[in-house]
């Protein structure tokens, strides 16, 4: 077993990045711990409200000049940033593995996804165009232009520390705004590394700012009168009840992408081998810490008599549990490892509590991931192996609530309609997938299901950067979504001009 | 690197194997060019091809890898150790001995690329095409090696 070289060899002291300067903080400092090795890899500040407010002032001062910078010039900063990220691709990826725990393949995938956002945002000269019509009345023309608004706040989650802020940040600055970003205090290192490249890419001081912190920083962001809007990714409890509510009270724009309980349907005509491989990534990839992760696996018996349905179910489960039980869990920098640890011990404990609840509620724990077996000799504190529950009902807590860990809950549905009804009854509406070779079922599924991101033979329905990251019900609060054209619309206001010349 | 004998390789492990395979192939053919200058042009071309193959495959992987596809689960039943080949050229070897080693190397490399292409075809974007290109390169190379062997036997 060979573990790839760690790019962080000594503890990094993370500072805030404000006005293209690295600024210390008077706030308390927290450790950033590699969940696989339990070694401290960095220390990051919990910034004070004054420090956050000072960053907003700097961003606000930078706005008028940045707003007057031609979109093509703004795009060129993004082109340069993209090239710099490509040059540091492997280092940034390994940093994500160390700070979060994900495997190196997952980390490289995350880096690539982040780069794609920068690439799409660099298309801002086209994306930001308005439209016009001559002679709305004779001699009078009308046109629409899109203008940036000022300073936006971005609150990053722990599960994709590099990629998720990039669902928003490049579009915001491409459109002519300035940003103050608060990465997760649990894994802020990759954003600090990115900020180094922002400076090198030639963004003017004050356009892209990073203030590390916790709840108090979020609170300062929500309350600041000069923050025009906020982008948040995290739990529904915080997203809906804190961020969305406060933004409504203060008139701020908001994108709040929140929790999920995603259903994956396996129809009788599904290719089982390929379905199982897709489901492994969906349910267990990133140790299940993903808003697009599979939560419930629904084995559908549409058109089958009881005996056939039992045989089909058994075939699926044999393949599923057989594969899941062999998943290699360990340190993500070990290339043989397929699943890394959870982000920290408290997250593991939360998942363990769900597993205990599932057993209490009467589901059958076919595969118990609490029996931790690792590749390599690592402390087990943050690790869980894959778990599988069978005979789950959608009303059990494991069938209804977001577990955010490597747990598959298997549900039987006698018909397609029954499966759709289960999905629509669930309060979340982030993603859903169907595995089938029938165009008819696929179309019916995409047409009826009340989820924003729909997959056909796809386990993780992660939209590409040029599509919006959709979401419905308790998974999303706001109107416009992150990524692509919708992000540009979120970060700009439409101004309509009617002109006549005497 | 992945352990020999593991029954499912991750994409990362496969890519590391590709790097090792093409690096060792390039080194091997440069050595062949030194030992057998009469066919030096061909061997140096093979060395360059290996370097290009490596760049193409690694770049394709880096540019298309996404955490949303099955990078950790696409190479079921693949034991990377099965594709290792000897690349040591002994002092006492003549051209026939060395070409035999080269053919064995190409056979193993081809088997590797065919297997990874087949396994990943349905699950990973674009990467299987890069593997297919490597198969084409190696297949052409085998024909050329056999021609060199034939020509050497004739002379």
């Amino acid at each position: 077993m060979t573990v790839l070289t760690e790019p962080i060899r000594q503890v990094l002291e993370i500072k805030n990045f404000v006005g293209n300067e690295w600024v210390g903080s008077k706030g308390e400092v927290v450790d950033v711990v590699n969940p696989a090795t339990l070694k401290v890899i960095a220390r990051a500040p919990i910034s004070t409200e004054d420090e956050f407010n000072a960053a907003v002032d700097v961003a606000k001062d930078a706005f008028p000049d940045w707003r007057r910078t031609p979109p093509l010039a703004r795009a060129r900063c993004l082109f340069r940033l993209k090239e710099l990220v490509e040059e540091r691709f492997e280092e940034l990826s390994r940093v994500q593995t160390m700070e979060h725990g994900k495997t190196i393949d997952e980390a490289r995938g995350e880096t690539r996804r982040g780069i794609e956002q920068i690439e799409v945002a660099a298309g801002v000269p086209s994306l930001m165009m308005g439209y016009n019509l001559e002679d709305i009345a004779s001699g009078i023309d009308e046109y629409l232009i899109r203008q940036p608004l000022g300073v936006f706040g971005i609150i990053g989650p722990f599960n994709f520390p590099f990629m998720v802020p990039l669902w928003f940040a490049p579009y915001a600055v491409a459109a002519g705004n300035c940003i103050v970003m608060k990465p997760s205090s649990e894994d802020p290192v990759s954003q600090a590394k990115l900020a180094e490249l922002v400076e090198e890419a030639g963004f003017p001081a004050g356009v892209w700012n990073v203030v590390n912190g916790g709840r108090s920083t979020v609170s300062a962001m929500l309350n600041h009168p000069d923050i025009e809007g906020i982008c948040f990714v995290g739990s529904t409890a915080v997203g809906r009840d804190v961020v969305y509510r406060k933004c409504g009270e203060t008139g701020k724009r908001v994108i709040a992408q929140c929790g999920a309980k995603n259903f994956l349907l396996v129809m009788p005509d599904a290719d089982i081998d390929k379905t199982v491989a897709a489901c492994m990534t969906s349910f267990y990839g990133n140790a299940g810490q993903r808003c697009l992760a599979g939560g419930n696996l629904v084995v559908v018996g549409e058109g089958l008599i009881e005996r056939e349905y039992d045989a089909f179910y058994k075939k699926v489960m044999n393949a599923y549990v057989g594969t899941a039980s062999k998943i290699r869990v360990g340190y993500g920098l070990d290339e043989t490892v397929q699943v890394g640890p959870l982000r920290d011990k408290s997250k593991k404990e939360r998942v363990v509590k769900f597993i205990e609840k599932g057993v209490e509620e009467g589901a059958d724990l076919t595969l118990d991931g609490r029996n931790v077996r690792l590749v390599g000799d690592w402390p087990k504190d943050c690790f869980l192996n894959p778990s599988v529950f069978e005979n789950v009902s959608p009303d059990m807590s494991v069938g209804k609530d977001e577990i955010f860990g490597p747990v598959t809950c298997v549900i039987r549905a006698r018909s397609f309609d029954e499966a759709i009804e289960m999905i629509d009854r669930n309060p979340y509406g982030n993603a859903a997938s169907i595995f089938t070779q029938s165009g008819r079922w696929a179309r019916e599924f995409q047409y009826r299901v009340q989820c924003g991101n729909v997959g056909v033979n796809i386990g993780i329905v992660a939209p590409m950067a040029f599509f919006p990251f959709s979401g419905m019900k308790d998974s999303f609060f706001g109107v416009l979504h992150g990524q692509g054209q919708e992000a540009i619309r979120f970060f700009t206001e439409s101004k309509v001009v009617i002109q006549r010349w005497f | 690197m992945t352990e020999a004998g593991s029954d499912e390789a991750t994409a990362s492990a496969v890519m590391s194997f590709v790097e090792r395979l093409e690096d060792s192939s390039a080194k091997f053919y440069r050595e062949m060019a030194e030992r057998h200058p009469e066919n030096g042009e061909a061997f140096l071309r093979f060395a360059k091809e290996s370097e290009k193959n490596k760049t193409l495959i690694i770049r394709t992987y880096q540019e298309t890898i996404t955490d949303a596809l099955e990078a950790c689960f696409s190479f079921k039943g693949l034991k990377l150790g099965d594709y290792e080949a000897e690349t040591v050229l002994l002092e006492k070897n003549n051209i026939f001995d060395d070409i035999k080693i080269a053919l064995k190397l190409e056979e193993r490399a081809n088997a590797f690329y065919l297997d990874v292409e087949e396994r990943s075809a349905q699950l990973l974007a674009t990467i299987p095409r890069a593997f297919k290109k490597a198969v084409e390169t190696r297949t052409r190379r085998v024909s050329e090696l056999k021609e060199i062997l034939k020509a050497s036997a004739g002379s």
Side-chain angles (χ1 to χ4, degrees):
Chain A
M1 175 196 77
T2 304
V3 174
L4 298 172
T5 308
E6 293 179 338
I8 301 171
R9 304 291 190 93
Q10 53 196 41
V11 177
L12 302 173
E13 300 293 337
I14 305 290
K15 293 186 175 182
N16 294 331
F17 181 70
V18 179
N20 280 10
E21 307 260 344
W22 292 97
V23 177
S25 166
K26 291 193 172 71
E28 120 188 53
V29 171
V30 294
D31 288 340
V32 178
V33 177
N34 181 335
T37 63
L38 297 186
K39 291 190 177 147
V40 175
I41 61 168
R43 278 188 274 268
I46 302 294
S47 303
T48 65
E49 189 172 335
D50 285 346
E51 287 163 353
F52 176 80
N53 292 342
V56 177
D57 287 342
V58 165
K60 199 175 161 196
D61 286 344
F63 173 62
D65 278 351
W66 184 239
R67 179 259 182 280
R68 285 181 188 280
T69 305
L72 188 53
R74 299 198 295 254
R76 286 185 179 132
C77 291
L78 289 167
F79 284 130
R80 287 191 290 269
L81 181 63
K82 175 228 151 57
E83 285 309 314
L84 290 166
V85 175
E86 294 278 12
E87 279 168 27
R88 305 267 289 271
F89 185 94
E90 188 62 17
E91 180 200 345
L92 285 166
S93 302
R94 294 187 193 189
V95 163
Q96 288 161 64
T97 294
M98 291 183 76
E99 67 179 344
H100 172 273
K102 59 187 70 195
T103 67
I104 186 60
D105 272 318
E106 289 167 344
R108 288 173 185 148
E110 181 170 349
T111 306
R112 176 53 51 196
R113 287 291 190 137
I115 291 171
E116 285 166 3
Q117 301 291 348
I118 299 170
E119 288 171 329
V120 172
V124 70
S126 298
L127 290 172
M128 209 167 150
M129 280 187 191
Y131 50 90
N132 60 29
L133 187 64
E134 279 184 324
D135 288 327
I136 53 152
S138 191
I140 301 176
D141 306 325
E142 185 163 354
Y143 54 94
L144 179 144
I145 49 179
R146 300 196 200 286
Q147 296 187 328
L149 289 150
V151 182
F152 281 82
I154 296 171
I155 303 167
F158 79 86
N159 59 339
F160 286 89
F162 182 77
M163 176 185 74
V164 166
L166 294 177
W167 288 349
F168 314 109
Y171 301 97
V173 301
N177 303 285
C178 299
I179 59 162
V180 182
M181 181 197 300
K182 189 209 83 67
S184 168
S185 56
E186 299 177 38
D187 41 23
V189 184
S190 52
Q191 283 303 327
K193 294 280 179 187
L194 181 64
E196 289 171 9
L197 303 182
V198 163
E199 191 184 352
E200 212 181 314
F203 282 90
V207 170
W208 185 303
N209 304 282
V210 180
V211 175
N212 293 281
R215 281 185 195 167
S216 55
T217 315
V218 172
S219 191
M221 193 185 285
L222 289 167
N223 286 307
H224 201 295
D226 292 328
I227 295 276
E228 296 290 338
I230 290 180
C231 303
F232 167 86
V233 175
S235 70
T236 294
V238 175
R240 177 187 57 205
D241 302 331
V242 178
V243 175
Y244 184 62
R245 178 164 295 170
K246 191 69 186 178
C247 286
E249 287 167 12
T250 54
K252 293 187 192 335
R253 296 182 172 204
V254 62
I255 293 175
Q257 296 184 207
C258 299
K261 186 69 171 181
N262 303 317
F263 288 67
L264 275 63
L265 269 55
V266 184
M267 299 297 285
D269 66 342
D271 180 319
I272 292 181
D273 280 344
K274 294 186 179 77
T275 298
V276 166
C279 287
M280 291 298 111
T281 308
S282 179
F283 284 85
Y284 302 122
N286 218 43
Q289 300 166 118
R290 200 200 295 263
C291 64
L292 291 172
N296 289 338
L297 184 76
V298 186
V299 183
V300 183
E302 178 72 38
L304 301 178
I305 61 172
E306 205 61 39
R307 177 172 44 84
E308 289 169 337
Y309 182 33
D310 283 343
F312 171 62
Y313 179 87
K314 200 170 170 187
K315 195 174 173 193
V316 171
M317 290 315 299
N318 282 346
Y320 196 95
V321 175
T323 307
S325 62
K326 293 189 190 125
I327 285 177
R328 294 190 303 277
V329 179
Y331 186 8
L333 285 185
D334 175 346
E335 288 186 302
T336 67
V337 158
Q338 293 165 300
V339 169
L342 279 93
R343 212 335 285 165
D344 61 40
K345 199 171 172 182
S346 69
K347 290 172 179 54
K348 171 180 170 172
E349 282 166 4
R350 184 176 172 276
V351 176
V352 167
K353 279 201 173 71
F354 262 110
I355 294 174
E356 288 164 358
K357 193 87 204 283
V359 171
E360 250 175 60
E361 287 178 325
D364 295 324
L365 187 57
T366 309
L367 187 63
D368 189 349
R370 295 172 298 181
N371 302 323
V372 175
R373 293 174 335 271
L374 300 181
V375 173
D377 186 21
W378 310 106
K380 292 186 176 178
D381 299 53
C382 303
F383 286 99
L384 276 175
N385 279 66
S387 291
V388 178
F389 271 114
E390 291 186 71
N391 295 316
V392 175
S393 94
D395 299 317
M396 290 178 181
S397 61
V398 289
K400 189 172 54 157
D401 300 330
E402 184 173 41
I403 298 176
F404 227 61
V407 180
T408 303
C409 297
V410 184
I411 300 175
R412 291 188 189 231
R414 213 46 197 89
S415 69
F416 176 82
D417 286 343
E418 185 188 339
I420 294 285
E421 198 256 336
M422 276 181 210
I423 297 173
D424 291 347
R425 249 191 12 240
N426 189 280
Y428 294 112
N430 206 36
S433 292
I434 186 170
F435 288 86
T436 182
Q437 300 189 72
S438 158
R440 177 199 159 201
W441 289 124
R443 189 191 183 270
E444 195 69 12
F445 185 75
Q446 82 179 40
Y447 194 88
R448 288 169 58 183
V449 80
Q450 287 172 23
C451 287
N453 303 291
V454 178
V456 178
N457 298 319
I458 296 281
I460 299 172
V461 197
M464 293 295 282
F466 26 90
F467 284 92
F469 194 115
S470 190
M472 295 182 184
K473 302 193 290 182
D474 277 359
S475 297
F476 176 77
F477 301 93
V479 175
L480 293 166
H481 299 88
Q483 302 186 171
Q485 289 183 18
E486 283 204 18
I488 295 290
R489 288 202 48 210
F490 177 79
F491 290 116
T492 56
E493 182 58 271
S494 302
K495 185 178 278 182
V496 177
V497 179
I498 303 175
Q499 73 173 12
R500 175 174 61 186
W501 300 98
F502 295 114
Chain B
M1 60 189 252
T2 195
E3 290 166 352
S6 299
D7 66 357
E8 191 164 66
T10 64
S12 181
V14 167
M15 293 306 147
S16 290
F17 186 84
V18 166
E19 282 191 83
R20 284 202 310 280
L21 171 65
E22 297 297 351
D23 280 346
S24 63
S25 296
K27 183 166 176 269
F28 173 78
Y29 283 115
R30 279 195 290 272
E31 223 182 304
M32 286 283 277
E34 271 180 38
R35 284 165 65 90
H36 308 288
E38 67 281 10
N39 293 297
E41 193 199 316
F43 294 141
L44 283 175
R45 187 165 26 89
F46 294 166
K48 243 190 155 130
E49 272 173 2
S50 281
E51 283 157 6
K52 269 191 180 165
N53 266 356
K54 177 180 112 173
T55 303
L56 170 69
I57 291 171
I58 301 301
R59 184 169 58 211
T60 305
Y61 162 74
Q62 282 203 346
E63 286 183 357
T64 57
I65 183 71
T66 157
D67 70 308
L69 290 178
E70 289 76 20
C72 291
F73 301 95
S74 294
F75 299 101
K76 201 171 176 182
L78 194 78
K79 294 183 184 179
L80 294 173
D82 289 350
Y83 306 100
E84 305 276 3
E86 186 59 64
T87 53
V88 172
L89 295 166
L90 298 173
E91 200 57 50
K92 61 180 173 71
N93 282 4
N94 58 29
I95 180 117
F96 303 105
D97 298 324
D98 286 351
I99 297 271
K100 275 192 189 136
I101 294 174
L103 284 168
K104 192 76 191 170
L105 166 64
E106 295 306 325
E107 178 194 309
R108 290 283 173 90
N110 234 14
F112 166 71
Y113 280 124
L114 280 167
D115 285 348
V116 292
E117 190 219 336
E118 190 192 326
R119 278 171 172 76
S120 63
Q122 296 292 323
L123 294 170
L124 288 178
T126 312
I127 295 165
R129 275 215 303 270
F131 292 142
K132 192 174 176 182
K133 231 175 137 36
V135 168
E136 287 165 4
T137 306
R138 297 271 179 173
T139 303
R140 251 191 340 262
R141 208 181 277 183
V142 165
S143 303
E144 277 200 61
L145 283 167
K146 285 180 176 167
E147 286 298 313
I148 292 172
L149 197 63
K150 212 161 136 188
S152 301
S155 60

